[in-house]
Amino acid sequence: MGAPDEDEQPHRPSDITVFGANCTLHGLSHIFLPGGVTLRRLLWLAAFTSSLSIFLYQVAGRVIEYYQYPHVTLLDEMDTPFMYFPAITFCNYNSYRRSQMRRNDLFWMARMLGVEQGDFDDYLAQLGGPEESGKFFPSKSFNMLDFVQRACHDIDEMLLDCKYRGQECRAENFTTSNSDTWKAN
């Protein structure tokens, strides 16, 4: 018995085997294992390649459809001798007029807005709100409904020109359905 040859070294796994064993992509660690080809590996390879193919097919289909710019337009038309004034909704993502915010409002909503109490005057000045002089005493409670009614956008200011069937419509033709929405009468 002789000593093992110094030239013989233990078999080191290939780089792809090391990559597959450490990869988090599901299935690769089952495909690239040390050793020969087995039925289990072939099944994993088939499952992996078919899943990848289906995924790439769907992605390619969505990309092709996206660049075709498809659109669908549906139009329903009805004839009627009389039609009521249509329901109109004004949506304004800027729900409140910041210029209507008062120091008391800011006192109660400062935490939501991320404003420190010492910065109230600067914050209100930047909003363009009215200057409030004198000592400030916050109210004991805060009524959000009162704030919304005072600070929401006014239909008189938003409605610049309105005509329906040749007749003028004015702010009186609209009613408030909630703090942010105006609907036509």
Side-chain angles (χ1 to χ4, degrees):
M1 301 214 153
D5 288 341
E6 292 177 6
D7 293 337
E8 284 186 34
Q9 294 181 357
H11 180 59
R12 195 173 80 98
S14 67
D15 290 338
I16 193 77
T17 304
V18 172
F19 171 75
N22 295 318
C23 184
T24 58
L25 188 60
H26 190 69
L28 283 184
S29 62
H30 297 286
I31 298 170
F32 297 107
L33 295 170
V37 177
T38 63
L39 179 62
R40 182 174 184 258
R41 279 192 207 175
L42 290 176
L43 291 174
W44 270 105
L45 179 64
F48 179 80
T49 54
S50 61
S51 298
L52 182 62
S53 299
I54 292 169
F55 169 72
L56 292 176
Y57 176 76
Q58 289 177 342
V59 168
R62 297 303 99 201
V63 169
I64 289 168
E65 184 178 351
Y66 175 77
Y67 283 112
Q68 289 175 347
Y69 303 107
H71 60 279
V72 177
T73 303
L74 298 175
L75 179 63
D76 290 335
E77 189 174 324
M78 295 185 319
D79 289 331
T80 180
F82 180 77
M83 190 166 98
Y84 293 100
F85 192 83
I88 299 171
T89 304
F90 293 109
C91 298
N92 190 338
Y93 290 113
N94 183 13
S95 302
Y96 311 112
R97 294 180 292 171
R98 292 181 180 170
S99 62
Q100 297 301 310
M101 185 173 276
R102 305 284 186 260
R103 189 174 182 91
N104 190 59
D105 304 330
L106 191 56
F107 174 81
W108 288 99
M109 295 190 297
R111 183 176 253 157
M112 263 189 317
L113 298 171
V115 179
E116 297 294 327
Q117 192 168 0
D119 299 331
F120 282 7
D121 292 328
D122 294 337
Y123 188 82
L124 289 170
Q126 287 178 352
L127 293 179
E131 291 191 23
E132 297 176 19
S133 58
K135 191 145 176 94
F136 170 66
F137 296 101
S139 64
K140 295 190 187 293
S141 64
F142 181 70
N143 187 332
M144 189 66 174
L145 181 61
D146 290 342
F147 169 74
V148 167
Q149 288 174 342
R150 178 174 38 82
C152 73
H153 293 276
D154 188 14
I155 188 69
D156 288 322
E157 294 174 6
M158 293 188 337
L159 189 64
L160 302 179
D161 185 32
C162 178
K163 288 187 183 184
Y164 179 70
R165 293 197 166 189
Q167 294 181 355
E168 288 261 344
C169 47
R170 295 176 300 280
E172 296 83 44
N173 299 115
F174 295 84
T175 56
T176 305
S177 67
N178 66 32
S179 63
D180 302 330
T181 309
W182 295 88
K183 288 188 178 177
N185 283 340

